[in-house]
Amino acid sequence: AIDPFGIEVSLRFPSAKKEIEEACKCFACERYVATVFHLMRSMEAALRRLAKEIGVDYAPSWDAYIKKIDASLKDADRKQPEQRAMVDFYSKASVLLYAVKEAWRNEVMHVEADYDSVQAKQILDSVNQFMGWLSRGLSQ
């Protein structure tokens, strides 16, 4: 099996596996906008997995999910060291998802977006690192 972002990411985000593979194929074929598009779809899988992990129900958009996630984390009991560590970890994930949404996700959905090989590779690497980091912090 092909696991471009590693086996742990494939196991934690099975719904993203095809999107990650497609992003890598598009990159190899110099289809950089398509690369970023598939990466954003894989990030949506991470967003939904994160929401499920902390008990957030379906939301119609990334923005709505992130707002629900942040509200849930704000309500968490931070007095326990384990809870505080969990909230810190997921809060960082939420901030990073928001940054991706603002920097790339919203942009790639419009025809004006264009990426060269350097930009697409930077986004590919960023998504890879984020998903690897998030997959290590999710519970079994």
Side-chain angles (χ1 to χ4, degrees):
I2 299 172
D3 298 302
F5 287 6
I7 188 70
E8 192 70 24
V9 170
S10 292
L11 291 172
R12 299 290 186 169
F13 306 110
S15 62
K17 184 175 166 63
K18 180 180 178 192
E19 297 300 333
I20 293 167
E21 289 173 2
E22 289 298 315
C24 293
K25 289 174 188 175
C26 290
F27 186 81
C29 292
E30 299 179 4
R31 308 297 295 175
Y32 303 122
V33 173
T35 300
V36 176
F37 179 78
H38 285 290
L39 288 170
M40 294 306 103
R41 287 176 56 114
S42 71
M43 288 292 289
E44 186 165 336
L47 172 61
R48 289 180 182 193
R49 176 70 170 87
L50 172 61
K52 183 179 178 183
E53 182 77 14
I54 61 175
V56 169
D57 293 332
Y58 170 81
S61 68
W62 279 40
D63 194 55
Y65 265 119
I66 292 168
K67 285 178 181 176
K68 284 183 170 188
I69 289 168
D70 290 346
S72 175
L73 294 172
K74 186 177 181 183
D75 292 341
D77 179 12
R78 296 174 189 242
K79 293 177 183 163
Q80 308 265 348
E82 186 177 292
Q83 282 286 343
R84 188 170 40 252
M86 182 271 305
V87 169
D88 288 346
F89 179 83
Y90 291 132
S91 294
K92 289 173 185 164
S94 179
V95 168
L96 292 169
L97 283 162
Y98 180 80
V100 167
K101 178 183 92 62
E102 292 297 309
W104 302 311
R105 196 248 177 222
N106 292 347
E107 181 179 275
V108 77
M109 301 309 288
H110 302 285
V111 295
E112 295 83 14
D114 198 18
Y115 304 93
D116 62 22
S117 62
V118 173
Q119 292 166 316
K121 179 70 164 102
Q122 289 171 337
I123 297 166
L124 183 70
D125 290 343
S126 295
V127 172
N128 183 1
Q129 290 174 2
F130 170 74
M131 292 186 76
W133 174 77
L134 184 59
S135 70
R136 288 186 295 276
L138 294 173
S139 65
Q140 294 287 19

